[in-house]
Amino acid sequence: MNLIKWQRPTLTTWPGLGRLSDLRDEIDRLFESPLGELTRTSQLLSGWTPALDVYEEKDHFIVKAELPGMKKEDIEVSFHDGGLSISGERKSETKHEDAEVYRAERFFGRFQRTVTLPTPVAVDKAAAAY
């Protein structure tokens, strides 16, 4: 029997966010299989959530939402139980019925974001701009 000296494994440094991009590419390739056709149309995986910025200036809050490609009439803003809700539906511009889709990264469909503001808001003084 031979005795082998144990060596502590060396730790490699994290190379940055490049590896996360590689991971995403690997996951995308996984879903390119026939199973991918089922999951692409699934409501569970097709949802999206717009990015929000919330900040306070003097005596009011400002909430900005990224809603690229959306029309004003497709967006709803409401208050309920101290929370500001932004909801709507982003619709696909075109249908590619006769084309084979190789990559589809833009999300379409319904969304809803609700954010609770840190202090009570006078709803009658709230305003929205598009």
Side-chain angles (χ1 to χ4, degrees), residues 62-82:
I62 296 175
V63 178
K64 289 187 176 184
E66 282 187 6
L67 301 168
M70 294 206 52
K71 297 177 183 173
K72 185 177 183 177
E73 57 269 10
D74 294 331
I75 303 167
E76 296 178 27
V77 179
S78 61
F79 282 96
H80 183 69
D81 292 333

Side-chain angles (χ1 to χ4, degrees), residues 43-129:
Q43 186 66 21
L44 177 65
L45 295 178
S46 66
W48 69 286
T49 305
L52 290 180
D53 292 338
V54 181
Y55 53 97
E56 185 175 7
E57 286 184 352
K58 294 184 183 178
D59 61 346
H60 60 277
F61 290 101
I62 296 175
V63 178
K64 289 187 176 184
E66 282 187 6
L67 301 168
M70 294 206 52
K71 297 177 183 173
K72 185 177 183 177
E73 57 269 10
D74 294 331
I75 303 167
E76 296 178 27
V77 179
S78 61
F79 282 96
H80 183 69
D81 292 333
L84 170 70
S85 290
I86 301 172
S87 61
E89 182 175 3
R90 184 162 61 182
K91 298 172 183 158
S92 176
E93 302 98 25
T94 58
K95 299 281 184 191
H96 303 285
E97 294 174 11
D98 295 334
E100 184 173 342
V101 177
Y102 290 105
R103 193 170 199 99
E105 295 181 354
R106 297 180 305 146
F107 290 107
F108 299 99
R110 293 211 45 84
F111 72 90
Q112 180 172 358
R113 279 299 298 267
T114 302
V115 61
T116 302
L117 301 173
T119 60
V121 173
V123 177
D124 58 330
K125 295 181 181 179

